[in-house]
């Protein structure tokens, strides 16, 4: 039996700059104290003690010209058979041509530093844009993006099923100037099986992992502006966008509905966090 433990502006992205850390300078830290986990073992709506929702089309398609209307309907977000299912559908809904869902832990679970990871199977098709990311709290609107900071643990465009990427956004390196690196699977695809996407985030570094492979580290030396990741806390967002600046619109070969499947989300810290 699985259990649930609780303690305690997607932005236009045309490209990104690669970080500079090399393997022999990377810091590897392990966070072992589990402080939040959703194993999605309760059927129906996601646990409201952990997850809230963004609803609607946002400002200018959530800042990215996205095409979907985000809902909290069971047609777009539900838990079944131990898996969170976020479904993008092609349908007319409140003036939009597509629906999907965007979940967030803002005001429910937020943390500075630690390991944040999720085991997911990604969708496939032109115009699909799932993401698993962290956003700094805006202090009830008194601070603005990108000053609040953004850590994209996993982004992916559905017509490139072997490639994902992780990035950071901050003042002087946001949107198309974000700092990050792609990761490509060999002899596998992200839409045909589950993979674990994670970061280990500590003072002055963020390590990026796929299936426990450390493929990138970003430090203050890698960003051309203020390092805003020693502030906090940050909250988690899971979403499946349709269309927008990064993936472009769906085409005649894109099959709907499409699903983002999440087996679990877990957050760890160490005793000195």
């Amino acid at each position: 039996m699985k259990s649930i433990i609780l303690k305690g502006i997607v932005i236009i992205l045309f490209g990104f700059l690669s970080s500079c850390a090399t393997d022999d300078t990377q810091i590897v830290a392990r966070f072992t104290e589990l402080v939040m986990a959703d194993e999605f073992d309760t059927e129906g709506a996601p646990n409201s003690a952990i997850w809230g929702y963004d609803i609607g089309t946002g400002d200018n398609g959530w800042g990215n010209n996205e095409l979907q209307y985000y809902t909290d309907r069971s047609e777009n977000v539900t838990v079944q058979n131990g898996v969170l299912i976020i479904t993008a559908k092609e349908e007319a809904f409140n003036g939009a041509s597509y629906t999907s869902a965007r979940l967030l832990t803002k005001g429910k679970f937020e943390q500075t530093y630690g390991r944040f990871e999720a085991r997911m199977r990604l969708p496939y098709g032109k115009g699909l844009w799932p993401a698993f990311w962290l956003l700094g709290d805006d202090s009830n609107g008194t601070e603005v993006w990108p000053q609040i900071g953004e850590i994209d643990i996993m982004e992916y465009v559905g017509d490139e099923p072997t490639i994902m990427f992780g990035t950071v956004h901050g003042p002087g390196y946001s949107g198309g100037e974000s700092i990050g690196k792609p990761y490509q699977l060999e002899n596998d695809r992200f839409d045909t099986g589950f993979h674990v996407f994670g970061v280990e985030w500590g003072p002055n570094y963020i390590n990026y992992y796929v299936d426990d492979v450390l493929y990138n580290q970003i430090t203050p030396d890698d960003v051309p502006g203020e390092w805003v990741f020693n502030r906090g806390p940050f909250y988690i967002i899971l979403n499946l966008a349709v269309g927008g600046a990064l993936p472009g619109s769906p085409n005649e070969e894109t099959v709907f509905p499409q699903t983002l499947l999440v087996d679990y989300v877990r957050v760890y810290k160490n005793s000195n966090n």
Side-chain angles (χ1 to χ4, degrees):
M1 175 70 72
K2 295 181 180 179
S3 62
I4 293 174
I5 304 169
L6 180 61
K7 189 176 179 182
I9 8 199
V10 180
I11 308 304
I12 297 174
L13 183 64
F14 295 105
F16 51 81
L17 302 176
S18 178
S19 63
C20 302
T22 60
D23 289 341
D24 59 352
T25 62
Q26 287 175 333
I27 304 165
V28 177
R30 291 295 176 183
F31 299 87
T32 58
E33 183 182 343
L34 182 66
V35 292
M36 190 279 278
D38 198 339
E39 307 288 343
F40 303 112
D41 60 351
T42 301
E43 300 277 308
N47 185 354
S48 61
I50 299 175
W51 303 104
Y53 304 90
D54 279 327
I55 304 295
T57 56
D59 184 14
N60 189 33
W62 301 100
N64 303 290
N65 300 308
E66 296 168 24
L67 303 177
Q68 78 288 328
Y69 191 104
Y70 283 134
T71 86
D72 59 358
R73 305 178 306 162
S74 60
E75 295 96 320
N76 296 115
V77 56
T78 190
V79 175
Q80 295 179 8
N81 300 317
V83 176
L84 172 69
I85 305 171
I86 299 177
T87 302
K89 301 182 68 176
E90 185 176 17
E91 60 177 334
F93 189 88
N94 288 354
S97 298
Y98 304 90
T99 60
S100 188
R102 175 160 136 167
L103 285 70
L104 64 164
T105 66
K106 184 177 182 180
K108 298 174 183 287
F109 176 82
E110 303 183 8
Q111 180 171 295
T112 304
Y113 307 143
R115 179 176 175 91
F116 297 74
E117 68 176 24
R119 185 173 184 263
M120 298 183 284
R121 193 187 79 185
L122 308 184
Y124 174 75
K126 174 69 175 175
L128 298 170
W129 184 7
F132 167 44
W133 48 300
L134 310 178
L135 195 61
D137 196 298
D138 64 1
S139 299
N140 295 319
T142 61
E143 298 186 56
V144 298
W145 186 93
Q147 188 66 37
I148 57 175
E150 176 180 330
I151 301 172
D152 298 328
I153 301 172
M154 183 285 301
E155 287 188 274
Y156 160 95
V157 293
D159 57 343
E160 296 182 346
T162 65
I163 301 172
M164 57 74 63
F165 48 94
T167 60
V168 295
H169 301 252
Y173 50 99
S174 61
E177 301 302 318
S178 61
I179 304 298
K181 185 176 181 179
Y183 179 85
Q184 185 163 7
L185 288 176
E186 299 293 337
N187 305 313
D188 199 358
R189 294 162 53 126
F190 288 113
D191 64 314
T192 57
F194 283 86
H195 296 271
V196 178
F197 307 92
V199 294
E200 291 189 347
W201 166 32
N204 299 317
Y205 72 93
I206 303 170
N207 288 346
Y208 281 82
Y209 295 86
V210 174
D211 297 327
D212 281 330
V213 174
L214 173 61
Y215 74 93
N216 196 26
Q217 180 177 89
I218 301 175
T219 72
D221 291 338
D222 299 317
V223 303
E226 181 186 358
W227 180 261
V228 291
F229 306 104
N230 286 347
R231 52 149 289 164
F234 281 51
Y235 57 90
I236 301 168
I237 304 176
L238 283 168
N239 68 283
L240 174 52
V242 181
L246 181 61
S249 298
N251 60 23
E252 64 279 359
E253 296 180 357
T254 307
V255 176
F256 286 93
Q258 287 286 331
T259 56
L260 170 63
L261 304 182
V262 187
D263 181 39
Y264 62 75
V265 176
R266 297 172 183 165
V267 182
Y268 300 81
K269 70 174 185 178
N270 62 34
S271 59
N272 298 317
N273 204 37

